[in-house]
Amino acid sequence: MLGRLNHVAIAVRDAKSAAKIYGKAFGAEISEAVALPDHGVITVFATLPNTKIEFIEPLGEASPIAKFVERNADGGIHHLCYEVPDIIAARDQLIREGARVLGDGVPKIGAHGKPVLFLHPKDFSGALVEIEQT
Ligand code: CO
């Protein structure tokens, strides 16, 4: 059920300028900035051969990453995103195994136009986990 690492997300104050060093110094392909009002973030992706780095910036007052960015003024690793073939089956199995799903448990459409869910960091060794349906 656990698939590829889709991306590692880094939360920052300014996603575009954070991504710049990956484009300039590493020569990675950098996406345009995309606002996701449903998630309260602006995202910019750096594409690597085997995964992506997602830079997220708070969008709006109620952004779920506002506090994180406040506490980590220079930015910091925010979550890991794993691919799953069937997000509902994955969710139900994770719940059966005692993992907590954040929010109302209903998948939202994520940055790639695919359903995503977030899982409680306390159930995953302190790391916030996002699952995305492939
Ligand atoms: Co993500």
Side-chain angles (χ1 to χ4, degrees):
M1 151 173 117
L2 186 60
R4 290 158 42 97
L5 174 68
N6 184 276
H7 60 266
V8 175
I10 300 177
V12 291
R13 285 195 244 211
D14 182 339
K16 235 181 161 168
S17 60
K20 250 182 209 153
I21 187 83
Y22 281 70
K24 278 212 168 128
F26 280 137
E29 184 191 313
I30 306 297
S31 76
E32 290 300 309
V34 176
L36 298 174
D38 277 6
H39 294 269
V41 295
I42 294 170
T43 63
V44 177
F45 282 91
T47 302
L48 283 55
N50 64 341
T51 191
K52 295 184 274 289
I53 307 297
E54 175 187 47
F55 295 94
I56 47 178
E57 168 188 331
L59 173 65
E61 308 253 302
S63 172
I65 65 163
K67 282 224 167 67
F68 182 95
V69 172
E70 229 176 83
R71 281 196 305 266
N72 301 277
D74 298 325
I77 293 180
H78 185 263
H79 65 265
L80 305 172
C81 178
Y82 305 125
E83 296 178 357
V84 294
D86 179 338
I87 199 160
I88 299 298
R91 178 197 65 189
D92 293 348
Q93 164 135 11
L94 286 158
I95 290 171
R96 275 198 302 276
E97 295 299 325
R100 285 164 284 182
V101 177
L102 300 185
D104 60 8
V106 178
K108 278 189 188 168
I109 297 303
H112 308 110
K114 294 179 176 165
V116 301
L117 280 171
F118 285 90
L119 309 172
H120 202 297
K122 286 204 169 145
D123 300 328
F124 294 89
S125 312
L128 177 61
V129 169
E130 177 181 20
I131 52 174
E132 179 178 294
Q133 184 164 293
T134 49

